[in-house]
Amino acid sequence: PQGPLDLPSFPASAAGPDLRHVILGSEGRLGVITRATIYVRPLPEAEQFHALFFRDWSSGVEAVRSIAQAEVPLSMMRLSDKMETQTTLILSGRERLVALADLGLRALGYGEPLCLLLIGATGSPRKVRTAIRQATALARRHGGLFTGTMIGKMWRKSRFHTPYLRNTLWEHGYALDTLETAVPWASVAATVDLVRQALRQELAPKGEHVLAFAHLSHIYRSGASTYFTYLFPRSADPDATFSNWLTLKTLASEVIVKQGGTISHQHGVGRDHAPYLTAEKGPVGMDMLSALVRETDPEELLNPGILLRDEKKS
């Protein structure tokens, strides 16, 4: 509303703060993108997804951490906890194959609590082979059992289908949601345990069971994104269902903030997370955001109530 902001594209620039990220992170609160310069990259020659199993969650976490800090050039790592591992295998639709695999894993000493790590590599065939070899060698040091590409291919085939289960579950009487954060490695284990515990126990006094599971997805040298999925019975009364969701969401968010995690690793702030933004940005940071909003949108025309919870809402 204040006028056009034209930011030229450079390979790199040290000319003050990068205003592109101010706009990109504002969720439309500071402006609307009308033109963009994009980079074109060639499609990769090869891409592979492989699976490894660990005897427990802690071993898998340490393996993922060692792979990340060794800077193995993987394009994807996803470590599932016990419950998500079971769910992933069940949803594969290959019951007989999964049953046979379970017998084989148990014979090798890989029974419950079994955790699945999926790794992906993208690029030239040589780069893919090298990355997978390096990653599996590090994983084996932590007890990882390499099982090849079969499960990886199954996951790749269904990865964009499973989100549609939300609608099917709703029709069968269950609500589903996800939430996520990112924390340093020292806080990963505790954060996952506490958030899962909070989600599973909060509705117990009402006699309602919550199914909650987690995975690590986006992995960094200094930490990881912890991603949670939770299902709970929906009520015939929409207000009751919303109340239960809000209780679960609020409690999990409070745990995340207490653990020093970001209130949003990838989902954004919007209105749901706005109450927790001060814990991350601090009072001075929030004043800076408010000043930006006043300068760029003095009449509050763009998404009022987003990021800054005290604004008027449309």
Side-chain angles (χ1 to χ4, degrees), residues 5 8 62 94 102-103 138 147 161 177 196 214 243 281:
L5 174 66
E62 287 305 310
R94 307 287 292 275
D102 181 62
L103 290 174
L138 289 168
T147 61
H161 296 165
D177 196 19
R196 284 186 310 198
S243 177
K281 304 300 184 186

Side-chain angles (χ1 to χ4, degrees), residues 51-55 59-60 63 110 115 117 136-147:
L52 299 100
F53 286 100
F54 293 87
R55 292 185 174 91
S59 298
Y110 287 79
C115 292
L117 171 63
T136 54
L138 289 168
R140 287 191 178 105
R141 297 179 187 177
H142 299 277
L145 177 67
F146 182 66
T147 61

Side-chain angles (χ1 to χ4, degrees), residues 90-134:
I90 290 171
L91 291 177
S92 70
R94 307 287 292 275
E95 292 87 353
R96 183 176 180 183
L97 192 60
V98 169
L100 290 173
D102 181 62
L103 290 174
L105 289 167
R106 290 181 182 276
L108 294 171
Y110 287 79
E112 293 187 10
L114 196 65
C115 292
L116 170 67
L117 171 63
L118 292 167
I119 59 174
T122 306
S124 68
R126 181 178 180 180
K127 180 181 178 180
V128 168
R129 289 193 300 269
T130 300
I132 296 298
R133 183 172 63 249
Q134 292 174 340

Side-chain angles (χ1 to χ4, degrees), residues 22-305:
V22 174
I23 304 300
L24 288 172
S26 75
E27 301 178 28
R29 189 63 193 86
L30 299 178
V32 176
I33 298 173
T34 61
R35 186 175 68 252
T37 301
I38 63 172
Y39 294 99
V40 178
R41 300 175 183 270
L43 290 172
E45 297 178 57
E47 183 174 52
Q48 293 182 10
F49 295 95
H50 295 254
L52 299 100
F53 286 100
F54 293 87
R55 292 185 174 91
D56 53 58
W57 170 255
S58 59
S59 298
V61 170
E62 287 305 310
V64 168
R65 178 177 181 173
S66 67
I67 293 170
Q69 294 183 343
E71 299 184 337
V72 178
L74 294 176
S75 54
M76 189 273 284
M77 278 196 288
R78 175 171 172 150
L79 176 68
S80 299
D81 67 2
K82 170 189 171 182
M83 184 64 68
E84 185 173 281
T85 296
Q86 293 174 346
T87 303
T88 299
L89 295 176
I90 290 171
L91 291 177
S92 70
R94 307 287 292 275
E95 292 87 353
R96 183 176 180 183
L97 192 60
V98 169
L100 290 173
D102 181 62
L103 290 174
L105 289 167
R106 290 181 182 276
L108 294 171
Y110 287 79
E112 293 187 10
L114 196 65
C115 292
L116 170 67
L117 171 63
L118 292 167
I119 59 174
T122 306
S124 68
R126 181 178 180 180
K127 180 181 178 180
V128 168
R129 289 193 300 269
T130 300
I132 296 298
R133 183 172 63 249
Q134 292 174 340
T136 54
L138 289 168
R140 287 191 178 105
R141 297 179 187 177
H142 299 277
L145 177 67
F146 182 66
T147 61
T149 61
M150 182 186 70
I151 295 175
K153 289 179 179 178
M154 290 164 49
W155 174 82
R156 182 183 184 182
K157 183 178 180 180
S158 64
R159 63 183 297 191
F160 295 122
H161 296 165
T162 51
Y164 292 98
L165 287 174
R166 181 193 301 263
N167 297 339
T168 303
L169 287 165
W170 182 266
E171 293 170 358
H172 285 77
Y174 294 92
L176 179 149
D177 196 19
T178 60
L179 56 90
E180 38 75 56
T181 182
V183 291
W185 285 114
S187 302
V188 166
T191 300
V192 170
D193 287 344
L194 290 171
V195 173
R196 284 186 310 198
Q197 183 180 16
L199 291 171
R200 290 169 179 171
Q201 295 181 356
E202 186 61 23
L203 299 185
K206 297 182 179 181
E208 297 186 359
H209 177 68
V210 178
L211 178 66
F213 45 84
H215 66 253
L216 305 186
S217 51
H218 299 74
I219 312 298
Y220 309 96
R221 283 185 55 85
S222 58
S225 165
T226 60
Y227 196 101
F228 303 88
T229 301
Y230 58 103
L231 297 82
F232 59 96
R234 71 174 177 89
S235 171
D237 178 7
D239 290 336
T241 300
F242 176 76
S243 177
N244 284 342
W245 169 81
L246 185 60
T247 297
L248 294 169
K249 177 71 172 180
T250 300
L251 190 60
S253 297
E254 290 173 351
V255 171
I256 287 170
V257 170
K258 187 176 181 179
Q259 287 298 115
T262 176
I263 196 59
S264 177
H265 168 261
Q266 65 197 69
H267 287 177
V269 176
R271 292 185 172 89
D272 293 340
H273 297 153
Y276 310 99
L277 195 59
T278 302
E280 186 165 332
K281 304 300 184 186
V284 173
M286 296 304 294
D287 287 344
M288 293 171 65
L289 285 175
S290 297
L292 282 167
V293 168
R294 289 194 301 270
E295 177 65 26
T296 59
D297 184 19
E299 297 182 26
E300 295 189 6
L301 301 176
L302 295 176
N303 274 352

